[in-house]
């Protein structure tokens, strides 16, 4: 419990709540989208650079099991939403599947927030752990689009054939994932230490606090949209991040027993499972499942899912890791 | 001297920008103008930048000027056939007098 109180005062959560509060008070503060995108780029590039520089020496065979788990969890989250949220009365099946896809996909900002907490608590994690991001993100989006098309096919007998490669390509081209992969490549293949130490690393926490403020304001402004769809989306968005995170924590623990996956790595796996995509996922789903209502999945993810994943999820998994390991 | 031409205006979602541009180009239009759009309609209120930051679902307004009304209508048909059912999409044409242009 004291952990939650400390977390409450941490810059990450304090700025998130601050953003919600000033938006609720009707602030005229506007932070433009380009700044938001730039911050996400800076954070993910920094995470990628650090990972890239330290995996030069790492044994990447260790990554195979966690990466497989990430793929399974990403697909599993969408399947769970198919038999829970998408089955509920007043929820259109395609909206439920799209929401599951977004919650299976990964949020770069939530990942960055978790890394700041892990570093400030001096919890070690495998430096390649952030690179698990695409292994969960892409299968979840693909699965959601495939399931939605299967559903339309079953209902109407007609469906367009799903082309999977364009979905993968679009996900990899998304701003967060491009920056992360670029950072890994630069860290791995070049010597970016000087610019990393003098520029990217010192700015990391400060930029994250601005990002959290933006996420808080965005969360509040999207509540209006969430109100227009079934209440089940709000319920799902509050419960699902923690359920997904705990499932991933369980699988991560299994990997810990089998291959010595570190506690910090298990926390990162749980965080990316509990997070829901906020930049790259929504446009991919809008194009892949045009009939699903974006107010349902974006409202659920941004206004409830992300704040829960950051404010409750991250401290929960860290507390659990300290209790279990 | 002015020249009679047809202006086709498509107001639709930002995610369709590339797809609509490809349709316009496939019908031999010599160019188009793209404007970020905001407003209110049956799908939802869409702002152009404020107050929400994550502007994935902004709108665009595309203007195409064609020498003959037929090609404008063909573009309109192709766009509405593929996208009008699932996306916010309003299309209209009006006659315009072009005062200056290299070519249409």
């Amino acid at each position: 419990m004291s952990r939650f109180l400390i977390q409450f005062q941490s810059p990450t959560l304090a700025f998130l709540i601050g953003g919600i509060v000033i938006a609720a008070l009707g602030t005229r503060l506007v932070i433009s989208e380009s700044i938001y995108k730039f911050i996400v780029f800076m954070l993910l590039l920094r995470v990628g650079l650090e990972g890239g520089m330290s995996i030069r020496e790492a044994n990447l065979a260790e990554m195979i099991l966690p990466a497989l788990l990430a793929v399974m969890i990403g697909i599993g989250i969408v399947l769970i939403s198919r038999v829970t949220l998408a089955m509920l009365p007043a929820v259109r099946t395609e909206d439920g599947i799209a929401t599951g896809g977004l919650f299976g996909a990964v949020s770069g900002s939530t990942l960055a927030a978790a890394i700041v907490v892990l570093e400030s608590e001096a919890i070690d994690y495998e430096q390649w752990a952030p690179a698990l991001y695409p292994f969960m993100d892409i299968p979840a989006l693909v699965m959601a689009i495939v399931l939605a098309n299967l559903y339309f096919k079953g209902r109407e007998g007609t469906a367009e054939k799903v082309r999977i490669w364009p979905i993968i390509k679009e996900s990899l081209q998304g701003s967060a994932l491009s920056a992360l992969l670029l950072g890994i490549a630069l860290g791995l293949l070049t010597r970016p230490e000087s610019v990393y130490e003098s520029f990217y690393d010192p700015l990391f926490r400060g930029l994250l606090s601005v990002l959290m403020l933006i996420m808080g304001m965005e969360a509040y402004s999207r509540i209006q949209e969430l109100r227009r769809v079934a209440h089940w989306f709000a319920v799902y968005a509050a419960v699902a991040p923690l359920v997904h995170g705990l499932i991933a924590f369980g699988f991560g623990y299994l990997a810990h027993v089998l291959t010595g996956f570190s506690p910090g790595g298990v926390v990162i796996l749980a965080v990316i499972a509990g997070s829901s995509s906020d930049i790259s996922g929504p446009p991919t789903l809008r194009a892949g499942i045009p009939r699903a209502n974006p107010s349902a999945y974006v409202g659920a993810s941004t206004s409830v899912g992300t704040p829960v994943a950051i404010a409750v999820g991250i401290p929960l998994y860290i507390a659990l890791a300290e209790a279990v390991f | 001297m002015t020249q009679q031409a047809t202006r086709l205006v498509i107001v639709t979602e930002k995610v369709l920008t590339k797809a609509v541009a490809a349709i316009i180009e496939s019908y031999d239009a010599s160019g188009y103008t793209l404007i970020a759009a905001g407003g209110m309609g049956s799908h939802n209120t869409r702002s152009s930048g404020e107050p929400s930051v994550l502007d994935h679902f902004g709108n665009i307004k595309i203007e195409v000027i064609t020498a003959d009304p037929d090609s404008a209508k063909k573009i309109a048909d192709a766009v509405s056939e593929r996208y009008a059912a699932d996306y916010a999409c309003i299309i209209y044409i009006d006659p315009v007098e072009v005062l200056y242009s290299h070519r249409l």
Side-chain angles (χ1 to χ4, degrees):
Chain A
M1 199 60 223
S2 65
R3 159 163 300 281
F4 277 95
L5 280 177
I6 295 167
Q7 178 72 17
F8 197 71
Q9 293 171 320
S10 78
T12 308
L13 192 53
F15 277 79
L16 183 74
I17 294 170
I20 295 174
V21 170
I22 59 169
L25 294 174
T27 179
R28 283 198 293 275
L29 172 67
V30 174
I31 301 173
S32 74
E33 192 188 11
S34 49
I35 292 178
Y36 167 79
K37 283 193 169 156
F38 179 70
I39 291 178
V40 170
F41 157 79
M42 288 285 292
L43 297 180
L44 277 269
L45 193 66
R46 185 274 191 190
V47 170
L49 279 174
E50 196 195 21
M53 289 189 301
S54 45
I55 57 181
R56 285 179 203 148
E57 290 91 32
N59 173 15
L60 283 185
E62 286 173 7
M63 196 178 160
I64 294 172
L65 180 64
L68 278 175
L69 289 175
V71 173
M72 274 173 42
I73 294 165
I75 292 174
I77 288 172
V78 184
L79 292 174
I80 293 173
S81 77
R82 179 70 184 88
V83 295
T84 54
L85 179 67
M87 292 295 195
L88 289 168
V91 173
R92 286 162 70 220
T93 307
E94 57 268 38
D95 291 350
I97 295 170
T99 307
L102 207 55
F103 278 73
V106 176
S107 155
S109 32
T110 310
L111 174 63
I115 285 173
V116 165
V117 179
L118 286 173
E119 283 175 2
S120 64
E121 307 244 339
I123 300 171
D124 286 333
Y125 57 92
E126 285 84 354
Q127 293 298 339
W128 44 256
L132 294 173
Y133 178 154
F135 290 97
M136 191 179 300
D137 190 69
I138 295 172
L141 293 171
V142 170
M143 191 67 198
I145 293 170
V146 169
L147 274 186
N149 277 277
L150 282 176
Y151 167 71
F152 291 136
K153 198 175 179 179
R155 197 178 60 176
E156 293 154 21
T158 54
E160 286 177 37
K161 198 172 180 304
V162 182
R163 292 181 17 250
I164 290 177
W165 175 241
I167 308 171
I168 297 175
K169 206 174 83 179
E170 200 183 331
S171 304
L172 290 172
Q173 287 168 336
S175 50
L177 213 40
S178 307
L180 180 70
L181 297 175
L182 175 67
I184 292 176
L186 289 176
L188 195 59
L189 305 172
T190 67
R191 299 272 157 200
E193 279 82 356
S194 58
V195 68
Y196 172 81
E197 278 158 24
S198 63
F199 185 63
Y200 290 99
D201 194 41
L203 287 176
F204 190 54
R205 283 161 181 248
L207 288 176
L208 183 75
S209 68
V210 179
L211 181 67
M212 287 300 123
L213 185 73
I214 297 174
M215 301 299 291
M217 289 167 63
E218 188 66 20
Y220 184 81
S221 72
R222 295 276 172 189
I223 286 178
Q224 308 300 332
E225 274 184 66
L226 191 58
R227 282 202 190 127
R228 287 182 217 160
V229 296
H231 297 308
W232 286 116
F233 287 99
V235 175
Y236 176 83
V239 176
L242 304 177
V243 172
H244 299 158
L246 291 174
I247 292 173
F249 194 94
F251 281 113
Y253 184 77
L254 207 65
H256 170 75
V257 173
L258 293 175
T259 63
F261 192 36
S262 74
V266 175
V267 171
I268 287 187
L269 186 67
V271 167
I272 61 175
S275 75
S276 53
S277 179
D278 32 45
I279 329 173
S280 50
T284 306
L285 288 174
R286 185 75 184 109
I289 316 176
R291 273 186 262 184
N293 177 6
S295 291
Y297 52 85
V298 176
S301 167
T302 310
S303 69
V304 181
T306 299
V308 168
I310 293 171
V312 186
I314 296 174
L316 176 68
Y317 313 136
I318 292 178
L320 204 59
E322 280 171 358
V324 173
F325 295 106
Chain B
M1 203 191 104
T2 62
Q3 188 187 349
Q4 293 297 319
T6 302
R7 178 175 70 153
L8 168 72
V9 179
I10 304 169
V11 182
T12 189
E13 297 183 25
K14 202 166 148 189
V15 284
L16 296 182
T17 308
K18 278 187 188 170
V20 172
I23 291 175
I24 293 170
E25 282 160 34
S26 74
Y27 282 95
D28 259 357
S30 57
Y32 54 87
T33 306
L34 194 71
I35 309 151
M40 208 207 88
S42 59
H43 280 70
N44 227 325
T45 309
R46 290 168 203 279
S47 65
S48 49
E50 43 82 49
S52 66
V53 195
L54 311 183
D55 185 32
H56 323 289
F57 300 125
N59 280 2
I60 49 159
K61 181 173 168 184
I62 304 178
E63 294 197 1
V64 193
I65 295 182
T66 59
D68 68 307
D70 277 355
S71 43
K73 279 177 188 149
K74 276 181 196 156
I75 296 172
D77 286 346
V79 172
S80 62
E81 197 177 299
R82 281 180 63 182
Y83 300 113
D86 297 325
Y87 294 89
C89 182
I90 288 184
I91 304 178
Y92 53 89
I93 57 171
D94 50 9
V96 289
E97 283 182 49
V98 176
L99 292 174
Y100 174 79
S101 168
H102 286 293
R103 68 184 180 93
L104 283 177

